Amino acid sequence: MKIILMGAGQVGGTLAENLAIEANDITVVDTDSARLRELQDRLDIRTIEGKASYPSVLERAGAKDADMLIAVTNSDEVNMIACQLAHTLFSTPTKIARVREHDYLRKEGEIFKNQAIPVDVLISPEQLVTQHIQRLIQHPGALQVLDFAQGQAQLVAVKAYYGGPLVGREISYLRTHMPAVDTRVAAIFRQDRPIIPQGNTIIEADDEVFFIAAQRDIRAVMSELRRLDNPYKRLIIAGGGNIGARLAANIENQCQVKIIERNIQRCNALAKTLDNTIVLHGSASDRDLLIEENIEDTDVFLALTNDDEANIMASMLAKRLGARTVMTLINNPAYVDLVQGGVIDIAISPQQTTISALLTHVRRGDVAAVHSLRRGAAEAIEAVAHGDRRSSKVVGRAIEDIDLPPGTTIGAIIRNDEVLIAHDDVVIENGDHVVLFLVDKRRIRDVERLFQVGLAFF
């Protein structure tokens, strides 16, 4: 696939890395020549220096022959104009734009269409991150919560604790112990190494376990791996920016929410728009303020400012003062693995969340969702099976008869409104949504070929 990437920032650079590994023809456009040289030295890509919204730059980048344009510069307006020009001048088939400003998104249905600004897929990082955090709040103790088939099935990552009923036992014991609940352990990370789980795999304390189940069964399965946490009720949000404000608006009727914001004008704006949230003017690193607001009784402290260092320091202070769980927004990918699992319980990477949404639209075949696991170390894909036994490599076949690439497992099948956990004798039907896990991302092309109709005998 020939793809033009507009913007070589953290999202653009990481996306280029993902796509280049998968043998796509990638061209990256940016005004920063040093950044482009750095990417070209590491990756098998082409680079163009120039402004993404200039017709001449789009022409040099090969927009006339491109299959897809992905605009992820730091400017919403540049991203939108790049898509407009790609449509008007070059008839680029698929145009994806990252748009942050809520004022544009409020009129999404009227603005982003061929008659106005022709954007085929709109990516809003703040909205994606807010949804990600909400799922974590709904599942206390989870490290990651991912939806498949509009949430009918969920993939949840938890750390196995000493004393959990399943810790020290083989995975096959789970079915014996919980006969009424169907689930599958899809992947295990032990000391940062992936393990493809078998029935005789023994779960050890501190394993990071990914399991899939119907949404209604998630809490029951979590209880087998760790002590269940009580629901989160009292939250303090550090930072009243777009993410903090959206999150507060979405959960203020279910939880007791406080926002700490440094900017007095922003405090006043938040106080007017939020109904049941207490807005505090001050610094989240102010020890006296945190103590005064009963940080020791807080279920979740969320550091959601745009400053990584400020987020990390405020989170460490909140944890030391007694906050039960600390979630921290971290933009620099190099920091994420350094801090998670220590004082900070969950590090949230906007880049990984955004890239997962983008990859959904880049994958070949009918792919409904793509999620990065453990900050990109592995991947979960929801693919839709089409065809029949003659035209498809999966339809009409039992799971045990499908030639899956090494390091790939099928976790579940969603058929209409039913979640079927993957067992060897389950036969895949036309229209099934199949959830697969890959610990070796180099095998993505092989997985995509499985779900392309007409390739059954090639």
Side-chain angles (χ1 to χ4, degrees):
M1 190 179 291
K2 187 171 183 180
I3 301 170
I4 299 174
L5 268 173
M6 299 300 199
Q10 288 179 339
V11 168
T14 308
L15 187 59
E17 193 170 342
N18 277 268
L19 296 176
I21 290 171
E22 298 163 22
N24 290 288
D25 180 357
I26 306 297
T27 300
V28 179
V29 177
D30 202 277
T31 55
D32 186 339
S33 58
R35 173 63 172 160
L36 291 175
R37 277 196 304 275
E38 177 198 332
L39 288 174
Q40 199 162 25
D41 288 344
R42 291 192 296 111
L43 307 172
D44 181 19
I45 60 171
R46 179 168 167 255
T47 61
I48 300 289
E49 184 181 350
K51 195 159 185 179
S53 56
Y54 287 178
S56 60
V57 173
L58 278 164
E59 188 169 14
R60 282 165 51 211
K64 189 181 295 184
D65 304 316
D67 299 301
M68 181 179 293
L69 179 137
I70 303 175
V72 288
T73 74
N74 288 326
S75 166
D76 289 350
E77 291 73 20
V78 168
N79 294 340
M80 291 188 287
I81 291 171
C83 290
Q84 176 76 71
L85 293 176
H87 174 79
T88 304
L89 300 180
F90 305 105
S91 301
T92 305
T94 303
K95 301 159 292 293
I96 300 175
R98 178 174 66 174
V99 177
R100 290 191 174 105
E101 180 51 55
H102 183 60
D103 213 43
Y104 291 130
L105 299 174
R106 283 193 307 112
K107 299 286 185 179
E108 177 182 339
E110 299 168 48
I111 296 174
F112 300 104
K113 55 186 180 179
N114 282 353
Q115 298 86 344
I117 300 174
V119 175
D120 300 300
V121 180
L122 200 63
I123 301 292
S124 168
E126 284 84 359
Q127 189 172 354
L128 293 169
V129 171
T130 303
Q131 291 167 352
H132 174 65
I133 295 171
Q134 276 187 255
R135 287 193 294 269
L136 291 171
I137 290 171
Q138 289 163 3
H139 295 87
L143 299 174
Q144 198 168 3
V145 181
L146 305 173
D147 282 345
F148 295 98
Q150 288 78 50
Q152 291 182 75
Q154 288 185 318
L155 176 70
V156 177
V158 295
K159 180 174 279 191
Y161 275 40
Y162 284 104
L166 197 59
V167 175
R169 292 183 178 270
E170 294 182 350
I171 288 174
S172 57
Y173 174 74
L174 185 59
R175 180 180 274 192
T176 306
H177 188 60
M178 301 181 69
V181 174
D182 208 3
T183 185
R184 183 181 179 94
V185 175
I188 296 173
F189 284 83
R190 181 173 298 160
Q191 298 174 352
D192 290 331
R193 289 186 304 104
I195 296 172
I196 301 297
Q198 308 294 331
N200 60 356
T201 302
I202 294 175
I203 293 178
E204 298 180 4
D206 293 331
D207 279 355
E208 200 168 313
V209 181
F210 288 82
F211 69 87
I212 190 165
Q215 188 183 52
R216 64 180 180 274
D217 295 328
I218 293 296
R219 196 163 167 81
V221 181
M222 284 180 69
S223 69
E224 295 299 301
L225 295 162
R226 54 169 293 131
R227 183 187 67 256
L228 274 182
D229 290 350
N230 292 325
Y232 296 144
K233 289 296 183 185
R234 293 175 293 278
L235 284 71
I236 292 180
I237 299 172
N242 288 336
I243 295 174
R246 282 185 187 207
L247 180 63
N250 291 349
I251 64 173
E252 64 177 356
N253 291 325
Q254 293 87 46
C255 305
Q256 181 191 101
V257 183
K258 298 176 183 178
I259 289 183
I260 301 174
E261 169 59 45
R262 296 180 69 104
N263 184 292
I264 187 61
Q265 286 80 18
R266 182 62 177 166
C267 284
N268 291 331
L270 291 168
K272 289 176 183 175
T273 56
L274 296 171
D275 297 323
N276 298 316
T277 298
I278 297 171
V279 181
L280 304 165
H281 178 230
S283 167
S285 297
D286 183 336
R287 184 176 184 275
D288 292 336
L289 176 60
L290 292 179
I291 292 172
E292 186 178 324
E293 296 304 325
N294 302 313
I295 188 68
E296 73 278 5
D297 296 326
T298 299
D299 295 319
V300 189
F301 179 88
L302 301 114
L304 305 179
T305 77
N306 289 323
D307 187 323
D308 285 356
E309 287 77 11
N311 285 345
I312 292 168
M313 295 308 293
S315 297
M316 292 174 70
L317 178 61
K319 191 71 172 182
R320 177 171 289 185
L321 293 175
R324 178 172 141 202
T325 301
V326 171
M327 301 183 192
T328 310
L329 190 71
I330 297 181
N331 288 287
N332 187 340
Y335 287 177
V336 176
D337 287 323
L338 289 176
V339 300
Q340 176 156 310
V343 174
I344 291 169
D345 298 294
I346 300 175
I348 299 160
S349 169
Q351 283 75 26
Q352 283 301 331
T353 306
T354 304
I355 287 162
S356 293
L358 287 166
L359 288 175
T360 300
H361 304 285
V362 175
R363 296 279 179 252
R364 292 182 175 91
D366 190 352
V367 174
V370 175
H371 295 293
S372 290
L373 310 181
R374 295 193 89 254
R375 288 80 69 192
E379 197 163 283
I381 296 176
E382 178 187 343
V384 185
H386 294 292
D388 54 28
R389 190 173 176 85
R390 290 178 55 81
S391 61
S392 168
K393 291 184 178 180
V394 296
V395 174
R397 289 167 171 79
I399 288 174
E400 63 185 351
D401 297 327
I402 297 172
D403 186 18
L404 292 171
T408 304
T409 58
I410 293 177
I413 294 99
I414 299 95
R415 183 175 297 159
N416 300 321
D417 293 327
E418 186 181 5
V419 177
L420 306 173
I421 298 304
H423 301 297
D424 287 347
D425 59 348
V426 174
V427 176
I428 293 178
E429 298 179 3
N430 179 49
D432 283 354
H433 287 236
V434 183
V435 181
L436 304 102
F437 306 93
L438 296 85
V439 296
D440 184 353
K441 293 173 69 174
R442 292 171 300 179
R443 301 290 183 176
I444 284 168
R445 279 287 171 264
D446 297 330
V447 172
E448 289 175 345
R449 289 189 190 100
L450 282 176
F451 288 86
Q452 287 181 281
V453 177
L455 298 179
F457 302 105
F458 293 90

